[in-house]
């Protein structure tokens, strides 16, 4: 199982971190061990001094493929949820400054959180998805898939030009504006439309 992530896929988020709008999807990966298993506590990582939440729509790959045409891409995912792409922002800022890879900031154990899955149909995919994140009961991020720079299908097609997609792979599709710091004791809740998909206590 592989976890693909898209960076800078919402214009307002690219701007808030001082990044330009990309002309093709920015792709990075997290390893299998990055996925926090169900009923496992989440601990604030020891190496980090500025942990950021990033709420994202996450797709579940249901078909193996490579070189997938964008028009066929919606046949390759059949589930959606929200998740958090946890980021050690202090480490990422340092790595970015030095022009180094992001893995130590983004791909560590338990840095990927996902909620419960909703099955997707072609019919449901005709309409956009709204989503949000609450921290300690206050809404801190709100997004909508209609604001994606690169659509779900564009992202899947692009990834498949470089990597085989396999059943069970996950795609984190990017975070909207409002990323921010969280600390031990915070309680994060992810919503897809108005439905809560996960609760996470930071220990
Ligand atoms: Zn992200």
């Amino acid at each position: 199982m592989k976890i693909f992530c898209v960076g800078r896929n919402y214009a307002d988020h690219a701007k808030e971190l001082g990044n330009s709008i990309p002309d093709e999807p920015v792709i990075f990966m997290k390893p299998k061990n990055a996925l926090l298993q169900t009923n496992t506590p989440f601990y604030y990582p020891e190496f980090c001094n500025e942990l950021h939440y990033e709420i994202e729509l996450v797709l579940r790959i249901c078909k193996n493929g490579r070189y997938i045409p964008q028009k066929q891409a919606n046949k390759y995912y059949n589930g959606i949820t929200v998740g958090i792409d946890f980021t050690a922002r202090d480490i990422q800022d340092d790595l970015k400054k030095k022009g180094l890879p992001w893995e130590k900031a983004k791909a560590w154990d338990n840095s990927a959180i996902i909620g419960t899955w909703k099955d997707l149909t072609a019919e449901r995919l005709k309409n956009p998805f709204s989503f949000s994140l609450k921290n300690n009961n206050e809404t801190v991020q709100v997004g909508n898939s209609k604001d994606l720079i690169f659509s779900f299908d564009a992202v899947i097609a692009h990834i498949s030009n470089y990597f085989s997609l396999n059943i069970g792979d996950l795609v984190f599709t990017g975070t909207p504006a409002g990323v921010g710091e969280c600390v031990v004791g915070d309680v994060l809740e992810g919503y897809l439309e108005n439905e809560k998909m996960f609760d996470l206590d930071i220990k």
Side-chain angles (χ1 to χ4, degrees), residues 5-8 13 28 30 54-56 84-87 89 102 106 172-175 179:
C5 302
V6 188
R8 305 171 193 171
H13 168 66
F28 60 96
K30 297 183 187 242
E54 294 190 357
I55 187 82
E56 311 201 1
I84 297 180
D85 163 23
F86 270 120
T87 304
R89 193 72 71 197
W102 286 357
K106 287 275 200 184
F172 281 66
T173 57
T175 198
V179 299

Side-chain angles (χ1 to χ4, degrees), residues 82-102:
V82 288
I84 297 180
D85 163 23
F86 270 120
T87 304
R89 193 72 71 197
D90 51 338
I91 294 175
Q92 189 193 28
D93 287 347
D94 190 47
L95 294 170
K96 275 164 81 177
K97 248 179 255 160
K98 294 175 182 161
L100 294 172
W102 286 357

Side-chain angles (χ1 to χ4, degrees), residues 4-34:
F4 296 100
C5 302
V6 188
R8 305 171 193 171
N9 205 12
Y10 290 86
D12 51 358
H13 168 66
K15 276 184 217 148
E16 76 180 342
L17 292 186
N19 294 312
S20 54
I21 308 294
D23 49 20
E24 60 175 46
V26 174
I27 304 294
F28 60 96
M29 290 166 79
K30 297 183 187 242
K32 192 170 74 170
N33 288 341

Side-chain angles (χ1 to χ4, degrees), residues 129-163:
F129 295 86
S130 65
F131 60 106
S132 61
L133 179 72
K134 286 185 182 176
N135 185 10
N136 300 327
N137 228 7
E138 183 191 333
T139 302
V140 288
Q141 280 192 280
V142 176
N144 192 302
S145 60
K146 71 177 166 41
D147 300 320
L148 285 165
I149 298 172
F150 300 102
S151 68
F152 295 161
D153 294 349
V155 164
I156 299 284
H158 186 81
I159 290 172
S160 78
N161 288 335
Y162 297 82
F163 308 97

Side-chain angles (χ1 to χ4, degrees), residues 59 74 77 120-129 152-153:
L59 303 174
N74 67 359
Y77 54 96
L120 275 176
T121 57
E123 193 57 33
R124 177 63 191 85
L125 279 168
K126 288 179 185 161
N127 294 307
F129 295 86
F152 295 161
D153 294 349

